Amino acid sequence: MRIVRPASMEDAPAIARIVNHWAAQGKMLFRRAEEVERSIRDFVVLQDDGEVTGCGALALYGADLAEVRSLAVLPSVQRGGGGAAIVRHLLAAAVELRVQRVFAFTYVPGFFEKLGFEVVPPETLPQKAWRDCIHCPKRTNCDEIAVLHELPASRP
Ligand SMILES: CC(C)(COP(=O)(O)OP(=O)(O)OC[C@H]1O[C@@H](n2cnc3c(N)ncnc32)[C@H](O)[C@@H]1OP(=O)(O)O)[C@@H](O)C(=O)NCCC(=O)NCCS
């Protein structure tokens, strides 16, 4: 059975393993398990028959903005709908919190566009630059694409 559920502390090592598998290929940023633990309340996990097969986080920037971060699934379940299930779960959580806009910085804009995001100029999201880009080795030659989803004012 497949579910998306809030993460707990014991999921942190599995989350870090999944994220770091892709980070080693340059597809996302590395996360240490301790780092994941500190932001565990932001995370949901995808679980297939008891095994954690994917993860994603919704990081809050304030009333009007949140970010989908650390989104990844195991290679063995790629293209099986798991990534979309995680993002839909995070978007529903954002609507529940009355957050108005959700963004991501990504190498897979086509995946996000299928979920209702639109490509936007990165400079329209200066909040991201202040939180993360200042620490990023790629800050002067960032090749990630910014995508944004405007959310409905009412709950789904
Ligand atoms: C990106 C990722 C999370 C997508 O998850 P997934 O489970 O493989 O994707 P899904 O099966 O849910 O795909 C949902 C839809 O997006 C499409 N899609 C998936 N990956 C895509 C891509 N790279 N480019 C364009 N469309 C894509 C699928 O075909 C599917 O379309 P459909 O609804 O018409 O069938 C996953 O491939 C992954 O972990 N990649 C490596 C890490 C990464 O790049 N993370 C993103 C960081 S922002």
Side-chain angles (χ1 to χ4, degrees), residues 35-109:
E35 233 180 300
V36 173
E37 283 167 2
R38 282 198 296 274
S39 54
I40 200 73
R41 280 179 297 196
D42 292 348
F43 275 91
V44 297
V45 291
L46 177 72
Q47 186 175 303
D48 283 299
D49 297 329
E51 184 195 4
V52 173
T53 53
C55 59
L58 185 75
L60 299 177
Y61 279 72
D64 80 321
L65 195 64
E67 178 185 20
V68 171
R69 293 165 70 97
S70 302
L71 171 70
V73 300
L74 286 174
S76 55
V77 303
Q78 255 188 312
R79 298 272 176 161
I86 294 168
V87 172
R88 285 202 194 95
H89 195 102
L90 296 174
L91 288 175
V95 170
E96 197 64 31
L97 289 166
R98 299 279 206 273
V99 170
Q100 293 156 10
R101 302 180 302 150
V102 175
F103 73 94
F105 274 71
T106 184
Y107 294 117
V108 288

